[in-house]
């Protein structure tokens, strides 16, 4: 997972031509926001992807009884397009600009409840799902775009499989940090130790990959989520220099990784002024 995704993303309205595409060169590409399932917390939907979808990499969210269900922003930003193509194309649709060249689109809506230029936060309702436009049945057409080109979608850091039908349960605005330590450190890592930081400010995690013999440390915030604030994570293999990742991040610090088979490690992190530092341990 990209380290830059932890930084605050500045939402800014983009200049768009008639079709709502971001003009090339008007914005500088950056890491994608942590896009969430565009339905309310706890709702399970099927993400359908298929060859020949227009545009490529679009996702159709399907669910029995989806008509009239609230459709919510997959990330914070500014509404850059609210349009109605009638019985063709997208039908009723909304576009949100997330800054850094990133936009999302929500199409075939039955209703729209936002206006161009409106600032929206993660989970803000944009409208309701439906079957307007050129469709054969109700669903939500969704796109994650970079500089006007639809990208392969990720939802809460998990890549949507291409091609197939995959269920996703929304964590959109459920409260708490949307990331997990295993997600930050990546495939093959398991949590071997953790320490809650004072004041409920966050948790430092030590993980291990038994295949690669690598350790990983990350500190997940529990306060000021979505807002850049001081957080750090460090890992020190006995006999080697300490490696630290620190700065103002929106959700977590790290991952900090070092190989340390049969060698003791010292690890920890901080959120604000709340700090944890372990002794040398986990020596096996």
């Amino acid at each position: 997972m990209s380290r830059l995704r932890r930084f605050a993303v500045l939402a800014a309205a983009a200049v768009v031509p008639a079709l709502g595409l971001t003009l090339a060169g008007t914005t500088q590409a950056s890491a994608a926001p942590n896009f969430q399932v565009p339905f309310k917390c706890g709702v399970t939907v099927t993400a359908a992807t298929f060859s020949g979808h227009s545009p490529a990499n679009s996702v159709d969210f399907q669910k029995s009884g989806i008509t009239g269900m609230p459709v919510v922003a997959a990330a914070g930003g500014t509404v850059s397009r609210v349009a109605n193509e009638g019985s063709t194309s997208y039908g009723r649709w909304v576009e949100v600009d997330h800054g850094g060249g990133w936009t999302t689109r929500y199409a075939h809506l039955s209703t729209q409840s936002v206006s161009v230029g409106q600032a929206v936060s993660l989970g803000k309702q944009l409208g309701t799902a439906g079957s307007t436009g050129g469709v054969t049945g109700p669903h939500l057409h969704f796109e994650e775009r970079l500089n006007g080109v639809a990208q392969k979608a990720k939802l809460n850091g998990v890549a949507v499989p291409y091609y197939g039908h995959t269920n996703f349960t929304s964590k959109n605005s459920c409260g708490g940090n949307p990331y997990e330590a295993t997600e930050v450190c990546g495939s093959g890592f398991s949590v071997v130790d953790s320490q809650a930081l004072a004041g409920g400010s966050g948790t430092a995690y030590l993980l291990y990959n038994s295949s690669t013999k690598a350790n990983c440390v990350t500190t997940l915030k529990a306060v000021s989520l979505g807002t850049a604030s001081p957080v750090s994570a460090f890992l020190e293999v006995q006999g080697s220099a300490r490696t630290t990742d620190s700065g103002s991040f929106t959700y977590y610090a790290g991952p900090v990784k070092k190989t340390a088979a049969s060698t003791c490690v010292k690890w920890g992190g901080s959120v604000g002024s709340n700090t944890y530092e372990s002794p040398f341990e986990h020596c096996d």
Side-chain angles (χ1 to χ4, degrees), residues 269-284:
S270 65
V271 175
S273 61
N274 301 309
T275 301
Y276 172 72
E277 180 172 325
S278 79
F280 281 111
E281 58 185 3
H282 298 287
C283 304
D284 296 335

Side-chain angles (χ1 to χ4, degrees), residues 77-153:
T78 302
V79 178
S80 51
R81 183 84 174 185
V82 178
N84 185 357
E85 310 294 341
S87 60
T88 63
S89 185
Y90 287 162
R92 293 183 179 272
W93 62 285
V94 170
E95 179 183 74
V96 177
D97 183 351
H98 307 284
W102 287 96
T103 59
T104 48
R105 288 188 173 188
Y106 314 76
H108 309 312
L109 302 173
S110 57
T111 64
Q112 298 146 297
S113 54
V114 291
S115 56
V116 172
Q118 180 178 340
V120 294
S121 57
L122 170 68
K124 169 69 176 178
Q125 184 167 334
L126 307 175
T128 54
S131 55
T132 60
V135 298
T136 57
H139 65 276
L140 175 68
H141 175 98
F142 175 74
E143 301 169 26
E144 296 176 4
R145 289 183 165 234
L146 176 60
N147 295 329
V149 179
Q151 308 295 304
K152 287 189 174 181

